[in-house]
Amino acid sequence: MGQNARIIQEKESKLEKLLSIISYIIGDIDLDTVLNNVLKNAEELMEAEASSFLLLNKNKDELHAFVATGNAGEQIKKQDGIKVGTGISGWVAQNVKSLLIKDAYQDTRFCSDYDKKTGFQTKSVVCVPLIVKGNLIGVGQIINKKNAAYFDDQDLNIFTKFCEIAALALDNALMHQKRIEQDRVQRDLELAEDIQRAFLPENLPVVKDLKIDYRYLASRYLAGDFLDISFLPNGNVSLIIADVSGKGISAALFGSRVSHEFSHLRKDLQNLEKIFKKLNNIVCKYSTKGMFVTAIGMELNPNTGDCQIVNAGHPRPIALTPISPKNMDVNELEQKSGPPLGIVEDAEYPINDFVLKENETMIFYTDGVSEAIMNDGSRFESKNIFEVLKKNQFYPLNGLLQKLNQQCSGKDQADDITVVSFCRIKFKQLDIKSDPAELSKVRHLIETIGNELNYTNKEINQINLAVTESIVNIIEHTYMFKKDKDIRVQINRNNFGLHIFIRDWGEKQDPKNFKSRDLKDVKPGGLGVFFISELMDIVNYDNSYTTGNGLHLIKLRE
Amino acid sequence: MEIKVTENSEIITISLEGEIDMQVTNELREALLENIDKNSKRIIVDFQNVDFIDSSGLAVLIEGLKISKNKDSGFELCDMKEQVKDVFNLAQLDKVFIIK
């Protein structure tokens, strides 16, 4: 056989081998496995003493080398980064050109550090850029040809083909790894959201004649808004509602720090003015990149309605006074305010006194409400807040969020939304299980309260029927007849009527599915929803909770 | 809820006492079906001591009425308190049942 014929035969056998390993290499998506296969096959195919593949880190402008050590391909070791432009591989990455070097030590681009460290002696090198869809993802190199003094042009050609395949397989594996990483971050964020939610006052202690309620909607998993409602040793209620500039993880972390500092100060100091002054100085100290916090602190005496409020650049609270069954007088509280926390050291935060009268409600909110962008592109603004609150005396928070939902249905929620209400109203709360045996307990409470308020037997029976049907619906449809789930019944009374609020913690329901049957079509079932809407003056489904459902049933006084 | 059944000369009277809601509908349903099965000429459900009924209670009575009709036996309700009668009226069942 002549030399040419032998060369052709050798080339053909290598191409055949190359084809056979294509499917082997690209058949996997795990990065370690793909690297392992690539390294092992490169060495075998090219009859190389060693091989290494370096992946490009674009942010750092570095190549990270994965080399096969010991028995080829058995162990992959990740090395320190090599700057693009340094050494042979760095040159290839910078110029996106292949190199065939017969004697490395004669080449000025060669860096002998690796040889010095390992005792390995580099002689001949083929180094090829790894390119996918026109983008450099790394470089591949083979070192020292076995049974020959150096690599030749034919080796370069074969290795170039090999690297085209290897680049695709590595890119595929990198994408897969990125997806796994993204999934992990996503799970972490969801967990962090759960943790943040756990900080919220989920079960607000019941205070006599003071109904406290809130909603908290993070715009993306983590909110920069924070809220704490607690009870002071003197029996007063303490509130802080705050909004950290920015949102997402950094705002949430900063917020939880500020919230923590507030709780500490609240324990040590009596006076809100002093607490905010200290809190401001702490926030000034920790604030980075111009982060600041708008906040309101309040202490409220539930027996007298006396409030002390300090404001650090936060939207002013709103007071609601019922003037007729369907109308509220709405007033923004005039307040002296200090600057947002974290901007001016030693700033003053004067106390504002206010008295929350019986049947009045006070609303606090963050600017996620007023600055929500509506479908027409304009902002929700405080005038819309006032308009909604005027007409929603029984369920102001739900009314507000329903309106926001309706006006901003087509827009992503741009900012965190927190709303809190304090209402001085006489109410009774009964927590029951989703067991039909509990129904009569609820009816007897309503009967007692109805009698106290001089409702007629007929009216009491009507309310009882509507409430029974509502709870039965929860037991049947939300809790699927499980008997150990929680249901809360709250019976509120003001001058204009009886407001019964029923809350569950089950799967969210779609009010569109609440249907009653045609009365003429006499058959068992399908009357519950009809009774509820027929017997109550106002029926409002409350969809504003993160978990569970609420239902407001109102019987106005004749 | 308590259920008392008295039988005489082809009339079965089922007297109910208490509140009829989801908690007791199974018990009521069994009592009704068992007595309808006896193929008497008339069944009278006595509401004299019933203070409350909800839609699940109505559903059981509608079922009882339909089965009785198929068997050609009478099914009557009697002595309802005003608030219970109101529920039948509201559901337009006062014309469907014989209420005495």
Side-chain angles (χ1 to χ4, degrees), chain A residues 436-437 439-440 443-444 458 461 464-465 468-469 472 475 481 517 519 522-525 527-528 530-531 534-535, chain B residues 19-23 51-56 58-60 62-63 66 82-84 86-87 90-93 96:
Chain A
L439 288 166
S440 61
R443 287 196 296 267
H444 293 156
K458 189 183 171 99
N461 193 61
N464 267 338
L465 183 53
T468 301
E469 300 293 349
V472 166
I475 295 174
F481 296 101
R517 71 160 161 83
L519 291 186
V522 178
K523 62 182 180 188
L527 285 171
F530 167 75
F531 283 162
E534 199 68 13
L535 296 171
Chain B
E19 300 180 331
I20 305 173
D21 64 17
M22 194 189 185
Q23 170 68 3
D51 299 316
F52 178 84
I53 188 163
D54 75 351
S55 68
S56 64
L58 295 183
V60 171
I62 292 171
E63 191 185 355
K66 289 196 163 176
E82 196 60 34
Q83 73 254 31
V84 174
D86 283 345
V87 182
L90 188 64
Q92 297 178 17
L93 291 172
V96 175

Tab-separated table of all heavy atoms in Angstrom, chain A residues 436-437 439-440 443-444 458 461 464-465 468-469 472 475 481 517 519 522-525 527-528 530-531 534-535, chain B residues 19-23 51-56 58-60 62-63 66 82-84 86-87 90-93 96:
chain	number	residue	atom	x	y	z
A	436	PRO	N	-71.107	19.812	59.619
A	436	PRO	CA	-72.509	20.276	59.667
A	436	PRO	C	-73.053	20.397	61.085
A	436	PRO	O	-73.970	21.175	61.336
A	436	PRO	CB	-73.263	19.197	58.878
A	436	PRO	CG	-72.240	18.585	57.976
A	436	PRO	CD	-70.927	18.666	58.710
A	437	ALA	N	-72.467	19.627	62.013
A	437	ALA	CA	-72.937	19.692	63.401
A	437	ALA	C	-72.717	21.079	64.004
A	437	ALA	O	-73.330	21.435	65.006
A	437	ALA	CB	-72.223	18.638	64.241
A	439	LEU	N	-73.373	23.916	62.475
A	439	LEU	CA	-74.274	24.912	61.887
A	439	LEU	C	-75.210	25.552	62.916
A	439	LEU	O	-75.431	26.764	62.901
A	439	LEU	CB	-75.105	24.261	60.768
A	439	LEU	CG	-74.336	23.937	59.473
A	439	LEU	CD1	-75.149	22.993	58.587
A	439	LEU	CD2	-73.999	25.211	58.721
A	440	SER	N	-75.747	24.713	63.809
A	440	SER	CA	-76.741	25.258	64.737
A	440	SER	C	-76.090	26.255	65.706
A	440	SER	O	-76.717	27.227	66.131
A	440	SER	CB	-77.447	24.140	65.491
A	440	SER	OG	-76.510	23.413	66.228
A	443	ARG	N	-76.163	29.561	64.059
A	443	ARG	CA	-77.518	30.130	64.026
A	443	ARG	C	-77.931	30.677	65.388
A	443	ARG	O	-78.565	31.723	65.481
A	443	ARG	CB	-78.519	29.073	63.543
A	443	ARG	CG	-78.411	28.775	62.054
A	443	ARG	CD	-79.645	28.049	61.555
A	443	ARG	NE	-79.786	26.733	62.165
A	443	ARG	CZ	-79.321	25.603	61.638
A	443	ARG	NH1	-78.687	25.627	60.465
A	443	ARG	NH2	-79.498	24.454	62.246
A	444	HIS	N	-77.550	29.963	66.431
A	444	HIS	CA	-77.958	30.429	67.765
A	444	HIS	C	-77.278	31.743	68.129
A	444	HIS	O	-77.884	32.605	68.755
A	444	HIS	CB	-77.700	29.338	68.810
A	444	HIS	CG	-78.587	28.165	68.605
A	444	HIS	ND1	-78.290	26.909	69.038
A	444	HIS	CD2	-79.779	28.058	67.949
A	444	HIS	CE1	-79.264	26.081	68.670
A	444	HIS	NE2	-80.186	26.760	68.007
A	458	LYS	N	-88.690	36.815	61.627
A	458	LYS	CA	-88.644	36.548	60.188
A	458	LYS	C	-87.263	36.940	59.631
A	458	LYS	O	-86.641	36.169	58.898
A	458	LYS	CB	-89.744	37.362	59.511
A	458	LYS	CG	-89.958	37.041	58.049
A	458	LYS	CD	-91.041	37.971	57.474
A	458	LYS	CE	-91.134	37.833	55.972
A	458	LYS	NZ	-92.227	36.968	55.558
A	461	ASN	N	-84.579	34.597	60.852
A	461	ASN	CA	-84.640	33.332	60.126
A	461	ASN	C	-84.057	33.461	58.714
A	461	ASN	O	-83.371	32.564	58.229
A	461	ASN	CB	-86.090	32.844	60.051
A	461	ASN	CG	-86.148	31.403	59.599
A	461	ASN	OD1	-85.605	30.515	60.256
A	461	ASN	ND2	-86.748	31.172	58.444
A	464	ASN	N	-80.333	33.567	59.057
A	464	ASN	CA	-79.858	32.224	59.390
A	464	ASN	C	-79.863	31.285	58.189
A	464	ASN	O	-78.967	30.467	58.014
A	464	ASN	CB	-80.695	31.635	60.522
A	464	ASN	CG	-80.068	31.920	61.878
A	464	ASN	OD1	-78.858	32.175	61.940
A	464	ASN	ND2	-80.853	31.891	62.929
A	465	LEU	N	-80.896	31.425	57.364
A	465	LEU	CA	-80.979	30.562	56.188
A	465	LEU	C	-79.818	30.882	55.235
A	465	LEU	O	-79.127	29.974	54.754
A	465	LEU	CB	-82.332	30.752	55.499
A	465	LEU	CG	-82.601	29.868	54.283
A	465	LEU	CD1	-82.390	28.395	54.609
A	465	LEU	CD2	-84.025	30.084	53.757
A	468	THR	N	-76.557	29.636	56.791
A	468	THR	CA	-76.478	28.174	56.726
A	468	THR	C	-76.112	27.721	55.317
A	468	THR	O	-75.213	26.895	55.122
A	468	THR	CB	-77.833	27.543	57.135
A	468	THR	OG1	-78.142	27.969	58.458
A	468	THR	CG2	-77.778	26.029	57.086
A	469	GLU	N	-76.813	28.287	54.316
A	469	GLU	CA	-76.541	27.891	52.923
A	469	GLU	C	-75.085	28.214	52.540
A	469	GLU	O	-74.440	27.447	51.835
A	469	GLU	CB	-77.487	28.612	51.955
A	469	GLU	CG	-78.974	28.348	52.183
A	469	GLU	CD	-79.390	26.913	51.905
A	469	GLU	OE1	-78.582	26.156	51.337
A	469	GLU	OE2	-80.525	26.534	52.289
A	472	VAL	N	-72.791	25.679	54.229
A	472	VAL	CA	-72.957	24.370	53.572
A	472	VAL	C	-72.203	24.353	52.234
A	472	VAL	O	-71.553	23.370	51.885
A	472	VAL	CB	-74.458	24.040	53.385
A	472	VAL	CG1	-74.641	22.879	52.422
A	472	VAL	CG2	-75.103	23.704	54.728
A	475	ILE	N	-68.603	23.779	52.988
A	475	ILE	CA	-68.366	22.381	53.380
A	475	ILE	C	-68.379	21.478	52.140
A	475	ILE	O	-67.494	20.646	51.949
A	475	ILE	CB	-69.436	21.915	54.405
A	475	ILE	CG1	-69.295	22.712	55.715
A	475	ILE	CG2	-69.310	20.413	54.662
A	475	ILE	CD1	-70.392	22.441	56.730
A	481	PHE	N	-66.529	18.108	51.853
A	481	PHE	CA	-67.096	17.341	52.971
A	481	PHE	C	-66.077	16.917	54.033
A	481	PHE	O	-66.400	16.102	54.894
A	481	PHE	CB	-67.856	16.099	52.469
A	481	PHE	CG	-69.055	16.440	51.639
A	481	PHE	CD1	-69.001	16.360	50.256
A	481	PHE	CD2	-70.232	16.874	52.238
A	481	PHE	CE1	-70.098	16.696	49.484
A	481	PHE	CE2	-71.343	17.209	51.477
A	481	PHE	CZ	-71.274	17.122	50.094
A	517	ARG	N	-80.746	26.872	40.529
A	517	ARG	CA	-81.573	26.279	39.479
A	517	ARG	C	-82.807	27.123	39.201
A	517	ARG	O	-83.168	27.988	39.994
A	517	ARG	CB	-81.970	24.865	39.874
A	517	ARG	CG	-82.973	24.787	41.012
A	517	ARG	CD	-83.652	23.433	40.989
A	517	ARG	NE	-84.280	23.102	42.242
A	517	ARG	CZ	-85.492	23.521	42.603
A	517	ARG	NH1	-86.170	24.345	41.824
A	517	ARG	NH2	-86.004	23.152	43.756
A	519	LEU	N	-86.446	27.935	39.368
A	519	LEU	CA	-87.395	27.536	40.411
A	519	LEU	C	-88.509	26.634	39.881
A	519	LEU	O	-89.065	25.821	40.620
A	519	LEU	CB	-88.004	28.778	41.067
A	519	LEU	CG	-87.054	29.629	41.921
A	519	LEU	CD1	-87.830	30.731	42.607
A	519	LEU	CD2	-86.321	28.777	42.944
A	522	VAL	N	-88.673	21.789	39.387
A	522	VAL	CA	-88.625	21.296	40.763
A	522	VAL	C	-87.799	20.014	40.858
A	522	VAL	O	-88.145	18.996	40.270
A	522	VAL	CB	-90.054	21.042	41.304
A	522	VAL	CG1	-89.991	20.485	42.728
A	522	VAL	CG2	-90.847	22.335	41.285
A	523	LYS	N	-86.685	20.112	41.547
A	523	LYS	CA	-85.838	18.933	41.795
A	523	LYS	C	-84.981	19.224	43.021
A	523	LYS	O	-84.818	20.391	43.399
A	523	LYS	CB	-84.970	18.634	40.572
A	523	LYS	CG	-84.012	19.741	40.205
A	523	LYS	CD	-83.223	19.384	38.961
A	523	LYS	CE	-82.269	20.512	38.616
A	523	LYS	NZ	-81.609	20.355	37.345
A	524	PRO	N	-84.479	18.166	43.618
A	524	PRO	CA	-83.666	18.406	44.817
A	524	PRO	C	-82.407	19.205	44.475
A	524	PRO	O	-81.814	19.016	43.427
A	524	PRO	CB	-83.281	16.990	45.285
A	524	PRO	CG	-84.262	16.071	44.629
A	524	PRO	CD	-84.621	16.714	43.335
A	525	GLY	N	-82.028	20.121	45.369
A	525	GLY	CA	-80.756	20.845	45.219
A	525	GLY	C	-80.855	22.113	44.398
A	525	GLY	O	-81.869	22.408	43.762
A	527	LEU	N	-80.831	25.299	45.385
A	527	LEU	CA	-81.574	26.455	45.910
A	527	LEU	C	-80.724	27.369	46.795
A	527	LEU	O	-81.095	28.511	47.054
A	527	LEU	CB	-82.777	25.968	46.725
A	527	LEU	CG	-83.963	25.427	45.925
A	527	LEU	CD1	-84.974	24.790	46.873
A	527	LEU	CD2	-84.627	26.543	45.126
A	528	GLY	N	-79.590	26.852	47.262
A	528	GLY	CA	-78.773	27.577	48.239
A	528	GLY	C	-78.393	28.972	47.778
A	528	GLY	O	-78.627	29.965	48.482
A	530	PHE	N	-79.659	30.752	45.432
A	530	PHE	CA	-80.860	31.569	45.256
A	530	PHE	C	-81.305	32.177	46.593
A	530	PHE	O	-81.579	33.371	46.691
A	530	PHE	CB	-81.977	30.701	44.651
A	530	PHE	CG	-83.329	31.332	44.699
A	530	PHE	CD1	-83.659	32.360	43.818
A	530	PHE	CD2	-84.277	30.915	45.624
A	530	PHE	CE1	-84.906	32.953	43.870
A	530	PHE	CE2	-85.528	31.506	45.683
A	530	PHE	CZ	-85.839	32.533	44.795
A	531	PHE	N	-81.322	31.355	47.626
A	531	PHE	CA	-81.721	31.848	48.955
A	531	PHE	C	-80.801	32.976	49.415
A	531	PHE	O	-81.248	34.000	49.917
A	531	PHE	CB	-81.681	30.715	49.990
A	531	PHE	CG	-82.854	29.780	49.913
A	531	PHE	CD1	-82.803	28.522	50.493
A	531	PHE	CD2	-84.022	30.157	49.265
A	531	PHE	CE1	-83.888	27.660	50.434
A	531	PHE	CE2	-85.114	29.297	49.193
A	531	PHE	CZ	-85.038	28.041	49.775
A	534	GLU	N	-81.410	36.138	47.487
A	534	GLU	CA	-82.770	36.638	47.676
A	534	GLU	C	-82.965	37.236	49.071
A	534	GLU	O	-83.676	38.215	49.236
A	534	GLU	CB	-83.737	35.462	47.465
A	534	GLU	CG	-85.157	35.851	47.182
A	534	GLU	CD	-85.343	36.525	45.829
A	534	GLU	OE1	-84.413	36.493	44.972
A	534	GLU	OE2	-86.416	37.089	45.639
A	535	LEU	N	-82.312	36.646	50.061
A	535	LEU	CA	-82.605	37.012	51.450
A	535	LEU	C	-81.722	38.120	52.004
A	535	LEU	O	-82.089	38.770	52.970
A	535	LEU	CB	-82.468	35.776	52.354
A	535	LEU	CG	-83.470	34.665	52.050
A	535	LEU	CD1	-83.130	33.414	52.826
A	535	LEU	CD2	-84.891	35.136	52.386
B	19	GLU	N	-84.332	21.471	64.215
B	19	GLU	CA	-83.871	22.215	63.045
B	19	GLU	C	-83.429	21.246	61.947
B	19	GLU	O	-82.705	20.291	62.220
B	19	GLU	CB	-82.697	23.115	63.432
B	19	GLU	CG	-83.066	24.124	64.510
B	19	GLU	CD	-81.892	25.019	64.906
B	19	GLU	OE1	-80.734	24.575	64.799
B	19	GLU	OE2	-82.149	26.162	65.323
B	20	ILE	N	-83.869	21.522	60.732
B	20	ILE	CA	-83.498	20.632	59.624
B	20	ILE	C	-82.426	21.308	58.780
B	20	ILE	O	-82.693	22.307	58.097
B	20	ILE	CB	-84.724	20.305	58.743
B	20	ILE	CG1	-85.849	19.715	59.606
B	20	ILE	CG2	-84.327	19.324	57.632
B	20	ILE	CD1	-87.151	19.510	58.852
B	21	ASP	N	-81.225	20.788	58.865
B	21	ASP	CA	-80.151	21.254	57.986
B	21	ASP	C	-79.318	20.051	57.567
B	21	ASP	O	-79.684	18.902	57.837
B	21	ASP	CB	-79.307	22.349	58.662
B	21	ASP	CG	-78.555	21.860	59.891
B	21	ASP	OD1	-78.412	20.619	60.070
B	21	ASP	OD2	-78.099	22.701	60.692
B	22	MET	N	-78.196	20.318	56.923
B	22	MET	CA	-77.340	19.267	56.377
B	22	MET	C	-76.973	18.184	57.399
B	22	MET	O	-76.763	17.033	57.056
B	22	MET	CB	-76.072	19.956	55.880
B	22	MET	CG	-75.200	19.142	54.995
B	22	MET	SD	-73.695	20.125	54.798
B	22	MET	CE	-72.835	19.133	53.638
B	23	GLN	N	-76.923	18.591	58.670
B	23	GLN	CA	-76.530	17.664	59.728
B	23	GLN	C	-77.526	16.506	59.865
B	23	GLN	O	-77.143	15.403	60.226
B	23	GLN	CB	-76.405	18.450	61.048
B	23	GLN	CG	-76.234	17.637	62.303
B	23	GLN	CD	-74.877	16.918	62.352
B	23	GLN	OE1	-74.045	17.077	61.463
B	23	GLN	NE2	-74.671	16.110	63.365
B	51	ASP	N	-88.289	24.419	63.700
B	51	ASP	CA	-87.978	25.855	63.795
B	51	ASP	C	-87.216	26.374	62.593
B	51	ASP	O	-87.146	27.582	62.361
B	51	ASP	CB	-87.129	26.121	65.052
B	51	ASP	CG	-87.867	25.722	66.309
B	51	ASP	OD1	-89.066	26.046	66.392
B	51	ASP	OD2	-87.259	25.062	67.180
B	52	PHE	N	-86.601	25.456	61.867
B	52	PHE	CA	-85.728	25.918	60.788
B	52	PHE	C	-85.603	24.842	59.726
B	52	PHE	O	-85.548	23.656	60.033
B	52	PHE	CB	-84.330	26.229	61.363
B	52	PHE	CG	-83.319	26.680	60.341
B	52	PHE	CD1	-83.243	28.017	59.943
B	52	PHE	CD2	-82.433	25.766	59.754
B	52	PHE	CE1	-82.308	28.426	58.992
B	52	PHE	CE2	-81.498	26.175	58.806
B	52	PHE	CZ	-81.440	27.501	58.424
B	53	ILE	N	-85.578	25.274	58.461
B	53	ILE	CA	-85.286	24.316	57.391
B	53	ILE	C	-84.413	25.012	56.346
B	53	ILE	O	-84.608	26.197	56.061
B	53	ILE	CB	-86.574	23.731	56.757
B	53	ILE	CG1	-86.210	22.590	55.791
B	53	ILE	CG2	-87.382	24.813	56.029
B	53	ILE	CD1	-87.382	21.700	55.425
B	54	ASP	N	-83.438	24.289	55.809
B	54	ASP	CA	-82.600	24.879	54.761
B	54	ASP	C	-82.812	24.138	53.445
B	54	ASP	O	-83.675	23.248	53.358
B	54	ASP	CB	-81.122	24.904	55.181
B	54	ASP	CG	-80.467	23.527	55.119
B	54	ASP	OD1	-81.189	22.526	54.916
B	54	ASP	OD2	-79.235	23.454	55.271
B	55	SER	N	-82.045	24.456	52.426
B	55	SER	CA	-82.294	23.887	51.102
B	55	SER	C	-82.010	22.383	51.056
B	55	SER	O	-82.617	21.670	50.265
B	55	SER	CB	-81.468	24.618	50.039
B	55	SER	OG	-80.098	24.351	50.212
B	56	SER	N	-81.126	21.904	51.930
B	56	SER	CA	-80.876	20.457	51.912
B	56	SER	C	-82.087	19.716	52.483
B	56	SER	O	-82.404	18.602	52.054
B	56	SER	CB	-79.597	20.108	52.674
B	56	SER	OG	-79.720	20.430	54.034
B	58	LEU	N	-85.200	20.855	52.129
B	58	LEU	CA	-86.191	20.912	51.044
B	58	LEU	C	-85.910	19.816	50.018
B	58	LEU	O	-86.838	19.180	49.506
B	58	LEU	CB	-86.147	22.279	50.345
B	58	LEU	CG	-86.557	23.498	51.169
B	58	LEU	CD1	-86.522	24.756	50.295
B	58	LEU	CD2	-87.951	23.323	51.777
B	59	ALA	N	-84.619	19.603	49.731
B	59	ALA	CA	-84.236	18.614	48.722
B	59	ALA	C	-84.741	17.223	49.110
B	59	ALA	O	-85.283	16.495	48.273
B	59	ALA	CB	-82.717	18.602	48.557
B	60	VAL	N	-84.611	16.867	50.379
B	60	VAL	CA	-85.068	15.550	50.839
B	60	VAL	C	-86.588	15.433	50.694
B	60	VAL	O	-87.113	14.407	50.255
B	60	VAL	CB	-84.640	15.321	52.304
B	60	VAL	CG1	-85.286	14.066	52.864
B	60	VAL	CG2	-83.133	15.239	52.411
B	62	ILE	N	-88.484	17.075	48.557
B	62	ILE	CA	-88.827	16.977	47.125
B	62	ILE	C	-88.637	15.535	46.639
B	62	ILE	O	-89.468	14.980	45.925
B	62	ILE	CB	-87.962	17.958	46.284
B	62	ILE	CG1	-88.347	19.411	46.597
B	62	ILE	CG2	-88.124	17.685	44.785
B	62	ILE	CD1	-87.428	20.460	45.988
B	63	GLU	N	-87.568	14.918	47.101
B	63	GLU	CA	-87.313	13.529	46.726
B	63	GLU	C	-88.448	12.633	47.236
B	63	GLU	O	-88.987	11.795	46.503
B	63	GLU	CB	-85.960	13.079	47.301
B	63	GLU	CG	-85.491	11.750	46.758
B	63	GLU	CD	-84.211	11.250	47.429
B	63	GLU	OE1	-83.626	11.983	48.257
B	63	GLU	OE2	-83.810	10.106	47.116
B	66	LYS	N	-91.617	13.083	45.183
B	66	LYS	CA	-91.544	12.447	43.858
B	66	LYS	C	-91.741	10.933	43.946
B	66	LYS	O	-92.463	10.344	43.145
B	66	LYS	CB	-90.205	12.776	43.188
B	66	LYS	CG	-90.149	14.239	42.760
B	66	LYS	CD	-89.055	14.519	41.773
B	66	LYS	CE	-89.345	15.872	41.101
B	66	LYS	NZ	-88.309	16.295	40.189
B	82	GLU	N	-94.526	29.965	60.766
B	82	GLU	CA	-94.449	31.016	59.748
B	82	GLU	C	-93.075	31.046	59.056
B	82	GLU	O	-92.976	31.097	57.829
B	82	GLU	CB	-94.717	32.372	60.424
B	82	GLU	CG	-95.040	33.491	59.460
B	82	GLU	CD	-96.277	33.222	58.608
B	82	GLU	OE1	-97.230	32.581	59.101
B	82	GLU	OE2	-96.267	33.648	57.426
B	83	GLN	N	-91.987	30.989	59.865
B	83	GLN	CA	-90.656	31.149	59.262
B	83	GLN	C	-90.279	29.975	58.362
B	83	GLN	O	-89.504	30.137	57.427
B	83	GLN	CB	-89.569	31.393	60.339
B	83	GLN	CG	-89.182	30.204	61.182
B	83	GLN	CD	-89.751	30.301	62.592
B	83	GLN	OE1	-90.833	30.871	62.801
B	83	GLN	NE2	-89.045	29.742	63.571
B	84	VAL	N	-90.881	28.792	58.665
B	84	VAL	CA	-90.595	27.625	57.824
B	84	VAL	C	-91.406	27.728	56.534
B	84	VAL	O	-90.912	27.479	55.433
B	84	VAL	CB	-90.894	26.318	58.586
B	84	VAL	CG1	-90.731	25.110	57.673
B	84	VAL	CG2	-89.962	26.188	59.793
B	86	ASP	N	-92.279	30.399	55.123
B	86	ASP	CA	-91.611	31.431	54.303
B	86	ASP	C	-90.591	30.821	53.339
B	86	ASP	O	-90.449	31.260	52.207
B	86	ASP	CB	-90.865	32.439	55.208
B	86	ASP	CG	-91.819	33.425	55.851
B	86	ASP	OD1	-92.977	33.511	55.381
B	86	ASP	OD2	-91.411	34.088	56.829
B	87	VAL	N	-89.877	29.831	53.831
B	87	VAL	CA	-88.836	29.206	53.007
B	87	VAL	C	-89.465	28.469	51.821
B	87	VAL	O	-88.983	28.558	50.691
B	87	VAL	CB	-87.960	28.253	53.849
B	87	VAL	CG1	-86.843	27.650	53.002
B	87	VAL	CG2	-87.365	28.980	55.052
B	90	LEU	N	-90.664	31.126	49.377
B	90	LEU	CA	-89.546	31.741	48.664
B	90	LEU	C	-89.076	30.850	47.516
B	90	LEU	O	-88.774	31.328	46.417
B	90	LEU	CB	-88.397	31.972	49.663
B	90	LEU	CG	-87.200	32.763	49.172
B	90	LEU	CD1	-87.611	34.191	48.839
B	90	LEU	CD2	-86.121	32.780	50.251
B	91	ALA	N	-89.061	29.544	47.755
B	91	ALA	CA	-88.589	28.607	46.735
B	91	ALA	C	-89.713	28.212	45.772
B	91	ALA	O	-89.527	27.351	44.919
B	91	ALA	CB	-88.009	27.373	47.409
B	92	GLN	N	-90.892	28.867	45.949
B	92	GLN	CA	-92.084	28.565	45.140
B	92	GLN	C	-92.466	27.085	45.233
B	92	GLN	O	-92.896	26.468	44.264
B	92	GLN	CB	-91.873	28.986	43.682
B	92	GLN	CG	-91.665	30.492	43.564
B	92	GLN	CD	-91.403	30.945	42.148
B	92	GLN	OE1	-91.664	30.225	41.181
B	92	GLN	NE2	-90.908	32.160	41.996
B	93	LEU	N	-92.313	26.530	46.414
B	93	LEU	CA	-92.666	25.124	46.623
B	93	LEU	C	-94.020	24.999	47.328
B	93	LEU	O	-94.512	23.902	47.541
B	93	LEU	CB	-91.581	24.422	47.449
B	93	LEU	CG	-90.238	24.233	46.738
B	93	LEU	CD1	-89.183	23.710	47.699
B	93	LEU	CD2	-90.382	23.276	45.556
B	96	VAL	N	-96.243	23.338	45.049
B	96	VAL	CA	-95.797	22.005	44.635
B	96	VAL	C	-96.205	20.966	45.690
B	96	VAL	O	-96.678	19.890	45.372
B	96	VAL	CB	-94.272	21.989	44.427
B	96	VAL	CG1	-93.769	20.582	44.124
B	96	VAL	CG2	-93.875	22.948	43.313
